[in-house]
Amino acid sequence: MSKLILTVDDSASMRMLLKASLTAQGFRIESADDGQHGLERMHEVKPDLLITDINMPRMDGFELIEAVRSVPEFRGTPILVLSTEFSDDKKTRARQAGATGWITKPFDATKLGAAIRRVCP
Amino acid sequence: MSDELDEIQGIFFEECAEGLVIAEEGLSAMAAGDVSADVIAGVFRAVHSIKGGSGAFGHGALQAFSHRFENVLDEVRAGHIPASAEVTRIMLNAFDILSDHVAAAQSGSAFPDDAATLEQLDAILASKGAPAEPGAPAPVAEADEFGFTPVAAMVEDFDPFGFEPVMVALDDLVAAEPAGWTVRFGPSRAAMANGAEPMLVIRELEDMGGRVAAADTSRLPGLRDLDPEEGYLVWTLDLPASVEEQAIRDCFDFVAPDSLIEIGRADVAIAPPVVEAAVSVPVIEETERPALTLVAGNVAPAVEKPKAEAPAQSIRVDLGKLDQLLNLVGELVIRGSILSDRLSPADQERVELPELSRLTRQIQDNVMSLRAQPIRQAFSRVPRMLRDLMGETGKQVQLVTTGETTEVDKGVIEKIGDPLTHMIRNAVDHGIESPEERIAAGKPAEGTIRLSAEQKGARIIVRISDDGRGINRERVRAKAIERGIIAADAQLSDEEIDSLICAPGFSTAETISNISGRGVGMDVVRSNVEALGGRLDIQSVPGEGTTFSMGLPLTLAILDGMIVRLGKQRYVLPLTNVIETVQPAPGQVQATSPTSEVIELRGQYLPVRRVGEMFGLTGERRPEDSLVIIVESEAAGHVGLMVDTIDNRREVVIKSLEDNLHPIRGLGGATVLGDGSIALILDIDALVVATGFKSALKGMAA
């Protein structure tokens, strides 16, 4: 069974781009369009990996990561941040919230695939 | 994949357009004095998203500009830079350049000159002492907040992957023959807590030819004290010398920086104290992340934020699918009318046809509303245009917009942009006076343009009104005579004179100005509006201003039509063109030549055309047995069309002919009538031009 990834991004084009490039690499993709929606979808789809943006309406990526990590069931779920931000400050915040790793946009599809395999058992 | 990418890129540009609308609204609000955190955050997010996508799609120039813009917004958002009037002005300016960048990226045309704006943005950043975020990742060596000192950080160019630099013990590599690699890896508690999986790292190293040489279990406590959240083990792996150091480092991309990671040549001694540092980490983590203590409490429910007023959820749908749905609903409507034609009223009741019709109507309305969008999208480009126009003309104009949430079909929104642009230009160029003139006329120096939209029944009325000088009727009249549009002695009402500015070939500008003189006249505006099934009205009060009103259909898929009969055939005439119908009295229609006829109507002569003949339907009906429908055409003004009878008036679903046939002059499409038969929809302007009415009319005017 291929890995199921939930991508959370408020940009539809980014969601589609992720879906297109990751589906081509054999992953199954579900998506959500903001943190709040992402949290709901986490419970519905229970993905093997969560990839989230940081700047989003309603609930941002930091809040989403914290919320997801506070659910016992998702304590071990790898979470990658995919963001245009790359300041150390933001990365530290994401890490403290419980993120597994950080990837800077724009992403290279092959490298993203490699990164996913690096965290997703 | 490339088709798919094109499609996704199309959506990206739609998002850009939406983002620009949000950013402009926010910046305008800021300019008006609302500098609340929400407003600033909204602008930031919009610009941030544009930046993110632009990188993904390889629009470097757009990405670079939006990045610099975003940096300033970020500082404003953080309160480091005050949202002063000057800062807001520069950001509005930056917004304009951003719009140009988006347009350039979309069309592949030349990028705007953004040097001056970038300089201004950078100046804001610099003057407020905000640290300018460098274009490249900041140098990183600050894992010490975890009480951990990097052994030797030589990490440049490390992004786009990974959090913090990986701690690398690289002492002098003087060995002539590189030895194999020795890697020590001890995942920290934090790494485990964040979902990292040490096994994956080890497996990846093994895939590169690595081999676990030893597993240090000395820190493993007794079973009683074992904390499953803790990382106790430290593995030592040997790797072949041929493996690239970077490849090894990459494996640790997602391992928290407080983990023990040592990469060294086999003959390089490894500093032991690091292990101690790693051990001390859990204490910090424990206090920072109380959530982790939920381990045993499996029953603890997910802590979700209470759902605030859930905003409407939305989904992006391919427009083609909506069109298809609309088409199918159209079919359903048609089948419904067929049923009601064929069934007696009693039978209709028996099979509950009225209820079915009602549901069908509801579905139709709903499907139409799916394509509806707030007209704000069409209005959104006006503020920028006005700023440009003010710069070009030195006039001062404020914009007052109302009704921008009124919803109209997406197709209509796309098509009213050009007429709207032109009318705004017209209002500034011809309507609003210069500040001096205005003051002399006892008006405020700043002119006002009101842009409004409101729905009236099945139509939407868009008004553009200015408080300028109004139409100079003397000059319009003189120009029209000069251009041969009206006779020198023509008696015209004020309204008729005003509408002359929409006559083909008319322009009131004494000299062709940069603004209105772009090769487009109000005649093109009017024909654009009419091509949408709309009407354009002009009202002007000298000295007080001019109002252009566009009455537009809410949708382009359904047409209010008049079904007319020619012989056994039925045709649909768009009702928007119909002025009146006349049952001619004997002698009212007269032949002026073997091929042309006119109708005398209240002292005026209008050309008349037998529609049947145009379509080769022969018949020798006398005008008295026919009906003359007076229609308004863009090309030739009022014209009479002679038909046999009028059946009725109804809304018809427009079916395109061009999907299956070449465009046919004189026909705007087809529809299916209630009895299942097909009726062709007449395109009045094309008909009139195709049959030479224009020359006939010119002859009359001369």
Side-chain angles (χ1 to χ4, degrees):
Chain A
M1 191 66 160
S2 59
K3 296 293 173 204
L4 178 62
I5 302 174
L6 176 65
T7 65
V8 186
D9 200 311
D10 57 332
S11 152
S13 59
M14 192 52 67
R15 291 197 301 272
M16 290 177 72
L17 200 61
L18 275 170
K19 180 162 186 167
S21 41
L22 293 180
T23 309
Q25 298 183 52
F27 296 104
R28 288 180 298 137
I29 306 297
E30 290 285 341
S31 57
D33 48 26
D34 61 36
Q36 183 72 53
H37 187 207
L39 190 56
E40 287 158 21
R41 299 286 290 149
M42 274 303 282
H43 288 276
E44 286 164 31
V45 307
K46 305 191 189 310
D48 298 304
L49 168 69
L50 171 66
I51 299 182
T52 179
D53 188 17
I54 288 296
N55 284 291
M56 292 181 289
R58 293 213 291 169
M59 181 192 273
D60 69 18
F62 300 126
E63 294 169 311
L64 172 64
I65 296 169
E66 263 166 25
V68 167
R69 276 282 178 256
S70 71
V71 179
E73 188 185 354
F74 302 136
R75 275 177 48 246
T77 306
I79 302 176
L80 291 182
V81 173
L82 180 61
S83 172
T84 49
E85 307 247 14
F86 50 70
S87 72
D88 291 342
D89 179 42
K90 297 264 166 59
K91 289 182 186 177
T92 306
R93 266 185 74 193
R95 174 171 286 295
Q96 281 166 355
T100 314
W102 186 291
I103 298 168
T104 310
K105 284 184 201 171
F107 63 88
D108 173 277
T110 323
K111 285 188 184 164
L112 180 63
I116 289 170
R117 280 181 280 274
R118 195 160 282 156
V119 295
C120 201
Chain B
M1 180 86 180
S2 88
D3 277 358
E4 197 176 0
L5 272 183
D6 282 353
E7 191 188 320
I8 299 174
Q9 177 147 238
I11 291 177
F12 163 64
F13 282 119
E14 276 178 36
E15 285 169 0
C16 281
E18 288 163 17
L20 288 173
V21 170
I22 293 168
E24 179 158 42
E25 278 176 1
L27 287 167
S28 302
M30 287 169 70
D34 179 1
V35 290
S36 60
D38 278 358
V39 169
I40 297 171
V43 178
F44 172 83
R45 244 198 335 263
V47 175
H48 177 79
S49 299
I50 291 174
K51 176 185 106 175
S54 62
F57 293 101
H59 299 297
L62 172 60
Q63 185 189 13
F65 183 81
S66 44
H67 178 66
R68 304 266 280 274
F69 189 3
E70 180 196 3
N71 283 346
V72 174
L73 278 165
D74 200 15
E75 292 297 320
V76 174
R77 185 175 64 155
H80 298 153
I81 296 176
S84 66
E86 175 64 6
V87 166
T88 304
R89 192 190 62 75
I90 290 171
M91 290 203 292
L92 266 168
N93 189 11
F95 166 82
D96 289 347
I97 302 286
L98 182 65
S99 307
D100 291 344
H101 261 297
V102 169
Q106 188 163 16
S107 64
S109 55
F111 302 119
D113 178 8
D114 57 11
T117 309
L118 283 176
E119 215 166 274
Q120 286 178 320
L121 288 174
D122 289 351
I124 303 181
L125 267 184
S127 67
K128 310 300 176 209
E133 198 175 341
V140 273
E142 20 183 88
D144 44 355
E145 64 186 276
F146 297 100
F148 187 72
T149 318
V151 178
M154 48 160 287
V155 221
E156 277 167 76
D157 229 11
F158 191 56
D159 266 11
F161 289 90
F163 262 105
E164 308 278 350
V166 173
M167 267 28 90
V168 185
L170 278 180
D171 289 321
D172 301 338
L173 297 175
V174 283
E177 290 253 326
W181 297 100
T182 295
V183 175
R184 291 194 2 121
F185 171 41
S188 68
R189 182 190 184 91
M192 312 285 250
N194 283 5
E197 174 55 78
M199 185 190 74
L200 287 171
V201 178
I202 294 172
R203 190 184 288 165
E204 199 173 349
L205 291 169
E206 284 177 341
D207 286 347
M208 295 192 294
R211 176 183 72 79
V212 179
D216 179 356
T217 56
S218 59
R219 289 174 46 222
L220 204 59
L223 202 52
R224 230 154 108 84
D225 302 322
L226 189 88
D227 177 355
E229 296 291 298
E230 184 57 89
Y232 296 105
L233 300 177
V234 177
W235 288 273
T236 304
L237 290 102
D238 293 335
L239 275 101
S242 55
V243 177
E244 294 279 326
E245 185 191 330
Q246 185 63 49
I248 300 175
R249 265 198 227 157
D250 285 350
C251 298
F252 294 102
D253 267 359
F254 299 129
V255 176
D258 52 347
S259 298
L260 166 70
I261 302 163
E262 291 171 351
I263 305 172
R265 292 290 176 182
D267 56 347
V268 174
I270 288 157
V274 181
V275 184
E276 307 306 320
V279 175
S280 68
V281 166
V283 184
I284 302 167
E285 286 299 304
E286 202 68 63
T287 49
E288 281 182 354
R289 308 211 43 205
L292 282 177
T293 55
L294 279 172
V295 189
N298 219 355
V299 282
V303 186
E304 286 191 45
K305 285 194 168 180
K307 278 187 197 173
E309 294 281 314
Q313 297 250 334
S314 66
I315 178 171
R316 219 169 258 279
V317 180
D318 178 9
L319 206 53
K321 288 185 183 166
L322 282 189
D323 286 345
Q324 210 176 353
L325 184 59
L326 189 59
N327 242 325
L328 288 172
V329 174
E331 297 287 340
L332 193 62
V333 172
I334 290 160
R335 299 300 137 183
S337 354
I338 294 175
L339 277 182
S340 66
D341 279 4
R342 292 195 185 158
L343 294 176
S344 69
D347 284 342
Q348 289 186 20
E349 284 298 336
R350 200 163 50 80
V351 299
E352 297 191 15
L353 189 64
E355 179 65 7
L356 187 67
S357 304
R358 196 180 61 76
L359 284 173
T360 310
R361 169 64 61 170
Q362 278 181 7
I363 294 174
Q364 187 181 6
D365 287 349
N366 273 289
V367 172
M368 307 275 263
S369 76
L370 289 183
R371 287 179 48 101
Q373 308 236 307
I375 200 163
R376 181 190 295 124
Q377 292 186 12
F379 284 4
S380 65
R381 56 200 229 188
V382 173
R384 158 140 201 216
M385 200 174 20
L386 275 182
R387 286 197 295 278
D388 286 351
L389 289 171
M390 283 192 274
E392 286 173 34
T393 60
K395 294 176 181 177
Q396 293 169 19
V397 187
Q398 64 155 329
L399 178 71
V400 180
T401 310
T402 48
E404 62 262 63
T405 53
T406 313
E407 294 201 325
V408 202
D409 187 86
K410 189 171 168 65
V412 177
I413 288 184
E414 280 165 4
K415 287 180 177 149
I416 62 171
D418 284 346
L420 194 61
T421 303
H422 197 83
M423 281 184 273
I424 295 279
R425 286 181 181 285
N426 195 294
V428 176
D429 204 23
H430 302 303
I432 305 283
E433 313 89 333
S434 67
E436 303 78 50
E437 264 182 86
R438 290 184 63 89
I439 290 165
K443 295 181 185 180
E446 187 180 56
T448 302
I449 290 181
R450 286 174 201 281
L451 182 57
S452 72
E454 62 174 318
Q455 190 179 340
K456 279 194 173 166
R459 299 185 79 70
I460 176 163
I461 314 291
V462 177
R463 284 197 188 85
I464 299 103
S465 67
D466 65 67
D467 65 347
R469 57 171 78 94
I471 291 174
N472 183 336
R473 297 197 174 112
E474 277 309 302
R475 225 168 81 193
V476 168
R477 196 190 146 87
K479 180 92 33 178
I481 293 169
E482 182 194 317
R483 297 275 156 99
I485 294 164
I486 54 167
D489 56 352
Q491 297 295 311
L492 297 177
S493 66
D494 285 351
E495 289 81 46
E496 284 168 326
I497 294 177
D498 291 348
S499 66
L500 281 173
I501 67 168
C502 291
F506 186 92
S507 168
T508 50
E510 297 281 283
T511 54
I512 290 188
S513 74
N514 184 31
I515 294 152
S516 298
R518 300 196 180 195
V520 185
M522 284 299 294
D523 55 329
V524 176
V525 174
R526 191 169 73 172
S527 63
N528 282 348
V529 171
E530 283 172 359
L532 284 172
R535 288 176 62 90
L536 179 65
D537 289 316
I538 303 165
Q539 291 162 315
S540 186
V541 181
E544 287 179 24
T546 306
T547 299
F548 293 101
S549 308
M550 286 192 278
L552 298 159
L554 288 174
T555 171
L556 302 178
I558 290 188
L559 175 100
D560 213 1
M562 185 182 265
I563 316 280
V564 300
R565 205 177 266 279
L566 292 164
K568 287 181 181 147
Q569 268 304 333
R570 282 177 294 178
Y571 292 85
V572 181
L573 255 171
L575 210 58
T576 45
N577 291 73
V578 173
I579 306 293
E580 63 176 305
T581 57
V582 181
Q583 174 79 63
Q588 197 177 352
V589 174
Q590 302 159 18
T592 54
S593 81
T595 55
S596 63
E597 287 173 293
V598 293
I599 184 168
E600 194 234 317
L601 203 60
R602 296 181 287 273
Q604 280 192 305
Y605 288 91
L606 298 177
V608 170
R609 187 70 187 179
R610 293 178 188 243
V611 181
E613 280 179 11
M614 298 178 194
F615 291 107
L617 307 168
T618 49
E620 280 302 315
R621 289 174 74 101
R622 296 177 304 146
E624 301 86 88
D625 300 332
S626 306
L627 278 174
V628 173
I629 302 172
I630 310 296
V631 295
E632 186 176 38
S633 77
E634 183 265 318
H638 293 191
V639 169
L641 296 178
M642 199 184 287
V643 300
D644 291 353
T645 55
I646 294 172
D647 260 17
N648 56 10
R649 168 197 164 165
R650 66 185 302 165
E651 280 193 337
V652 299
V653 179
I654 302 173
K655 303 274 179 188
S656 169
L657 289 175
E658 281 151 46
D659 289 348
N660 301 306
L661 300 169
H662 291 296
I664 299 168
R665 229 190 152 86
L667 295 181
T671 192
V672 183
L673 298 176
D675 62 0
S677 66
I678 291 169
L680 297 168
I681 300 168
L682 301 177
D683 174 350
I684 293 184
D685 283 321
L687 262 186
V688 167
V689 173
T691 52
F693 267 134
K694 206 168 181 176
S695 54
L697 186 73
K698 282 264 165 70
M700 291 189 50

